[in-house]
Amino acid sequence: MASILSVTSGFPSILYPSVELARRLAVVGHQVTFAGLPACRELVERQGLAFLPLEASRYEAFLEGDAKESYWHRLSKRGERVDRAVDSLATEGFSRDVRQLNPDLILIDGEMHEHIITASTVGIPLVLLNSFASIWRRPGLPPPHCQVQPDVGFWGSRGGIWLLWRALRLRKWRKAVSQWGRWVGCDRLSVLRRLAAEQGFDWHREIDASQWLIPFTYRRFPVLSLHALEFDFPHQPPKRVHYVGPLLLESRPDRQLPPEDRARLEAIFQRRRRGAKLIYAGFGSMFSADLAFLKRLLGVVAGRPEWDLVVSLSDRVAPADLGPLPERVHVFPWVPQLEVVRQADVVVTHGGINTLDECVVGGSRGGVPVLIYCGSETDMAGNTARVLHHGIGIAGDREGDTTETIQGHIDRLLTAPSFRASLARLRRSYQRYVENQVAEGAVKSLLGSLSTPLAPPPSLPRTEEGRSVPQSFEDLERPPS
């Protein structure tokens, strides 16, 4: 068995699936060390994994202090400032720890660019972890920030999808130029380019800015996509991308509900077991503070004496801010979501892909249909389009839906058999990933094929002076020579 290092940021969308992957790899005999921010220690060690703390980046603090200097001072000292910005990324300790640990394989969050660049030059095979639906340009596949289904309407046509990708390229280029100007050459893209030059990382050979992620992803590293290919639109993934199925971490050191909240929740579960319908609404931190929408949502139980509505405010709004609550509406600052989803009959959500995976797998009747009020952040619109494509839910209009409209959506999700049938089909495909140990098998295969890492070029320039600001978008996505 192999020694594996897993490296992940603290965002739950990537943290929980990557910890579950690490746990499964340890179960089959690999020696797994998990590297993350200190706040992740309890979660990781609860799974029986060794924990390696990462030093927190000081880059945001650098930018805050740097912004206090005059524009002309910052411009004249650009080289010195970029050096300090690179130092603020705090990767030296990580490089030292990787060399000392010397694992056989590194699994790393695909958005931890400073750590990817640093680890790639150590000489150990590297595999990226992707927590989104498909982020790659493929025939007939729209970008995941768009609520577009292939072959539906103009934007789902071949020409419409091409225009969406072109618009994204322009947006990325404009953002790169804007950020360079705002931070006077110490924007994240310029700092990463300097780090790459110092590390001997071939930027133009390895970096790919033509795909969905901002600012870029990578051309050649293998990727584990931590979701099911069946949830995506039908397409042929790149050969280096391996879908390993949804990785739901069951054992989380969630905070404890206060005794009175736990008693309320248990009473709701008891009522459901006696035949009531449980509607769960949870939106993460995206728009839990939209009081107008929340107040319209709270009224859906009117005329439905068999419904209970549980709302998690994600600590964004005080329950008192909602005013008097209708009967059978239960508002909590926070709830253990996995536990509630398992009891729910309908989930109202913002469209995060982990929540959607939980709905497919959870529920006492083979999956939970979803009503999405899209958060319009990152990939949520694309996730919403996939929910509609697979027939496992409904997309609402957060601005326009009245209480009666929301109620009608929930009625349909509770009664139309097509949603349950679609969920059952998708759930069976999810279960096959677990039964066939697809994630474990993908890592085993990669360990066998990646006996040596991607070879760096024999020599590279050691400075990044010259063109830190992209002169055109093509400079951001130059193909390998």
Coordinates of all heavy atoms in Angstrom, one line a residue, residues 52-87:
L52 N -1.7 17.1 9.2 CA -0.5 18.0 9.0 C -1.1 19.4 8.8 O -1.7 19.8 7.8 CB 0.2 17.6 7.7 CG 1.4 18.5 7.3 CD1 2.5 18.4 8.3 CD2 2.0 18.1 5.9
P53 N -0.8 20.3 9.8 CA -1.3 21.7 9.7 C -0.6 22.5 8.6 O 0.6 22.4 8.5 CB -1.1 22.3 11.1 CG 0.0 21.5 11.6 CD -0.1 20.1 11.0
L54 N -1.4 23.3 7.8 CA -0.8 24.2 6.8 C -0.7 25.6 7.4 O -1.6 26.0 8.2 CB -1.7 24.2 5.6 CG -1.8 23.0 4.7 CD1 -2.8 23.2 3.6 CD2 -0.5 22.5 4.2
E55 N 0.3 26.3 7.1 CA 0.4 27.7 7.5 C -0.5 28.5 6.7 O -0.7 28.4 5.5 CB 1.9 28.2 7.3 CG 2.1 29.6 7.8 CD 3.5 30.0 7.6 OE1 4.3 29.2 7.1 OE2 3.8 31.2 7.8
A56 N -1.3 29.4 7.4 CA -2.3 30.2 6.8 C -1.6 31.3 5.9 O -0.5 31.8 6.2 CB -3.2 30.9 7.8
S57 N -2.2 31.5 4.7 CA -1.6 32.5 3.8 C -1.7 33.9 4.5 O -2.7 34.2 5.2 CB -2.4 32.5 2.5 OG -2.1 33.6 1.7
R58 N -0.7 34.7 4.2 CA -0.8 36.1 4.7 C -1.0 37.1 3.6 O -0.8 38.3 3.7 CB 0.6 36.5 5.4 CG 0.9 35.5 6.6 CD 2.2 35.9 7.2 NE 3.4 35.9 6.3 CZ 4.1 34.8 6.0 NH1 3.8 33.7 6.6 NH2 5.1 34.9 5.1
Y59 N -1.4 36.6 2.4 CA -1.6 37.4 1.2 C -2.6 38.5 1.4 O -2.4 39.6 1.0 CB -1.9 36.5 0.0 CG -2.1 37.2 -1.3 CD1 -1.1 38.0 -1.9 CD2 -3.4 37.2 -1.9 CE1 -1.4 38.6 -3.1 CE2 -3.6 37.8 -3.1 CZ -2.6 38.6 -3.7 OH -2.8 39.2 -4.8
E60 N -3.7 38.2 2.0 CA -4.8 39.2 2.1 C -4.3 40.3 3.1 O -4.5 41.5 2.8 CB -6.1 38.6 2.7 CG -6.7 37.6 1.7 CD -7.2 38.3 0.5 OE1 -7.5 39.5 0.5 OE2 -7.2 37.7 -0.6
A61 N -3.5 39.9 4.1 CA -2.9 40.9 5.0 C -1.9 41.8 4.3 O -1.8 43.0 4.5 CB -2.3 40.3 6.2
F62 N -1.1 41.1 3.4 CA -0.2 41.9 2.6 C -0.9 42.9 1.7 O -0.5 44.1 1.7 CB 0.6 41.0 1.7 CG 1.3 41.7 0.5 CD1 2.5 42.3 0.8 CD2 0.7 41.7 -0.7 CE1 3.1 43.0 -0.3 CE2 1.3 42.4 -1.8 CZ 2.5 43.0 -1.5
L63 N -2.0 42.5 1.0 CA -2.7 43.5 0.2 C -3.3 44.6 1.0 O -3.2 45.8 0.6 CB -3.8 42.7 -0.5 CG -3.5 41.7 -1.6 CD1 -4.7 41.1 -2.2 CD2 -2.6 42.4 -2.7
E64 N -3.8 44.3 2.2 CA -4.4 45.4 3.0 C -3.3 46.4 3.4 O -3.5 47.6 3.3 CB -5.0 44.8 4.3 CG -5.7 45.8 5.2 CD -6.3 45.1 6.4 OE1 -6.4 43.9 6.4 OE2 -6.7 45.9 7.3
G65 N -2.1 46.0 3.8 CA -1.1 46.9 4.1 C -0.5 47.6 2.9 O -0.2 48.8 3.0
D66 N -0.4 46.9 1.8 CA 0.2 47.5 0.6 C -0.7 48.6 0.1 O -0.2 49.6 -0.5 CB 0.4 46.4 -0.4 CG 1.1 46.8 -1.7 OD1 2.3 47.2 -1.6 OD2 0.4 46.9 -2.8
A67 N -2.0 48.4 0.2 CA -2.9 49.4 -0.3 C -2.8 50.8 0.3 O -3.3 51.8 -0.2 CB -4.4 48.9 -0.2
K68 N -2.2 50.8 1.5 CA -2.0 52.1 2.2 C -0.9 53.0 1.6 O -0.8 54.2 1.9 CB -1.7 51.8 3.7 CG -2.8 51.1 4.4 CD -2.4 50.8 5.8 CE -3.6 50.0 6.5 NZ -3.2 49.6 7.9
E69 N -0.1 52.4 0.8 CA 1.0 53.2 0.1 C 0.4 53.9 -1.1 O -0.6 53.5 -1.7 CB 2.1 52.2 -0.3 CG 2.8 51.4 0.8 CD 3.6 52.3 1.7 OE1 3.9 53.5 1.3 OE2 3.9 51.9 2.9
S70 N 1.1 54.9 -1.6 CA 0.7 55.6 -2.7 C 0.8 54.8 -4.0 O 1.6 53.9 -4.1 CB 1.5 56.9 -2.9 OG 2.8 56.6 -3.3
Y71 N 0.0 55.1 -5.0 CA 0.1 54.4 -6.3 C 1.5 54.4 -6.9 O 2.0 53.4 -7.3 CB -0.9 54.9 -7.3 CG -1.0 54.2 -8.6 CD1 -1.8 53.1 -8.7 CD2 -0.2 54.5 -9.6 CE1 -1.9 52.4 -9.9 CE2 -0.2 53.8 -10.8 CZ -1.1 52.7 -11.0 OH -1.1 52.0 -12.1
W72 N 2.1 55.6 -6.9 CA 3.4 55.7 -7.6 C 4.5 55.0 -6.8 O 5.4 54.4 -7.4 CB 3.7 57.2 -7.8 CG 2.8 57.8 -8.8 CD1 1.8 58.7 -8.5 CD2 2.7 57.5 -10.2 NE1 1.1 59.0 -9.6 CE2 1.6 58.3 -10.7 CE3 3.3 56.6 -11.0 CZ2 1.3 58.3 -12.0 CZ3 3.0 56.6 -12.3 CH2 1.9 57.4 -12.8
H73 N 4.4 55.0 -5.5 CA 5.3 54.2 -4.7 C 5.2 52.7 -5.0 O 6.2 52.0 -5.2 CB 5.1 54.5 -3.2 CG 5.9 53.6 -2.3 ND1 7.3 53.9 -2.0 CD2 5.7 52.5 -1.7 CE1 7.7 53.0 -1.2 NE2 6.8 52.1 -1.0
R74 N 4.0 52.3 -5.1 CA 3.7 50.9 -5.3 C 4.2 50.5 -6.7 O 4.8 49.4 -6.9 CB 2.2 50.6 -5.2 CG 1.7 50.7 -3.7 CD 0.3 50.9 -3.7 NE -0.5 49.7 -4.0 CZ -1.8 49.7 -4.2 NH1 -2.5 50.8 -4.3 NH2 -2.4 48.6 -4.5
L75 N 4.0 51.4 -7.7 CA 4.5 51.1 -9.0 C 6.0 51.0 -9.1 O 6.6 50.1 -9.8 CB 3.9 52.1 -10.0 CG 4.1 51.9 -11.5 CD1 3.5 50.6 -11.9 CD2 3.6 53.0 -12.3
S76 N 6.7 52.0 -8.5 CA 8.1 52.0 -8.6 C 8.8 50.9 -7.8 O 9.9 50.5 -8.1 CB 8.6 53.4 -8.0 OG 8.3 53.5 -6.6
K77 N 8.1 50.3 -6.8 CA 8.7 49.2 -6.0 C 8.0 47.9 -6.4 O 8.0 47.0 -5.6 CB 8.4 49.5 -4.5 CG 9.1 50.8 -4.0 CD 10.6 50.6 -4.0 CE 11.2 51.9 -3.4 NZ 12.7 51.8 -3.4
R78 N 7.5 47.7 -7.6 CA 6.7 46.6 -8.0 C 7.5 45.3 -7.8 O 7.0 44.3 -7.2 CB 6.3 46.7 -9.4 CG 5.3 45.5 -9.8 CD 4.6 45.8 -11.1 NE 5.4 45.9 -12.2 CZ 5.7 44.9 -13.0 NH1 5.2 43.7 -12.8 NH2 6.5 45.0 -14.1
G79 N 8.8 45.2 -8.2 CA 9.5 44.0 -8.1 C 9.7 43.5 -6.6 O 9.5 42.4 -6.2
E80 N 10.0 44.5 -5.8 CA 10.2 44.2 -4.3 C 8.9 43.8 -3.7 O 8.8 42.9 -2.9 CB 10.7 45.5 -3.6 CG 10.8 45.4 -2.1 CD 11.2 46.7 -1.5 OE1 11.9 47.5 -2.1 OE2 10.7 46.9 -0.4
R81 N 7.8 44.5 -4.1 CA 6.5 44.1 -3.6 C 6.0 42.7 -4.0 O 5.4 42.0 -3.2 CB 5.4 45.2 -4.0 CG 5.6 46.6 -3.4 CD 4.8 47.6 -4.0 NE 3.4 47.2 -4.2 CZ 2.8 47.0 -5.3 NH1 3.4 47.1 -6.5 NH2 1.5 46.6 -5.4
V82 N 6.3 42.4 -5.2 CA 5.9 41.0 -5.7 C 6.6 40.0 -4.9 O 6.1 38.9 -4.5 CB 6.1 40.9 -7.2 CG1 5.8 39.4 -7.6 CG2 5.2 41.8 -8.0
D83 N 7.9 40.2 -4.6 CA 8.7 39.3 -3.8 C 8.0 39.1 -2.4 O 7.9 38.0 -1.9 CB 10.1 39.8 -3.6 CG 10.9 39.6 -4.9 OD1 10.5 38.8 -5.8 OD2 12.0 40.3 -5.1
R84 N 7.6 40.2 -1.8 CA 7.0 40.1 -0.5 C 5.6 39.4 -0.6 O 5.2 38.7 0.3 CB 6.8 41.5 0.1 CG 8.2 42.1 0.6 CD 8.0 43.4 1.4 NE 7.5 44.5 0.7 CZ 6.3 45.1 0.8 NH1 5.5 44.6 1.7 NH2 6.0 46.1 0.1
A85 N 4.9 39.6 -1.7 CA 3.6 39.0 -1.9 C 3.8 37.5 -2.0 O 3.1 36.7 -1.5 CB 2.9 39.5 -3.1
V86 N 4.9 37.1 -2.8 CA 5.1 35.6 -2.9 C 5.5 35.0 -1.5 O 5.0 33.9 -1.2 CB 6.3 35.4 -3.9 CG1 6.8 33.9 -3.8 CG2 5.9 35.7 -5.3
D87 N 6.2 35.7 -0.7 CA 6.6 35.3 0.6 C 5.3 35.1 1.5 O 5.2 34.2 2.3 CB 7.6 36.2 1.3 CG 8.0 35.8 2.7 OD1 8.6 34.7 2.8 OD2 7.6 36.4 3.6

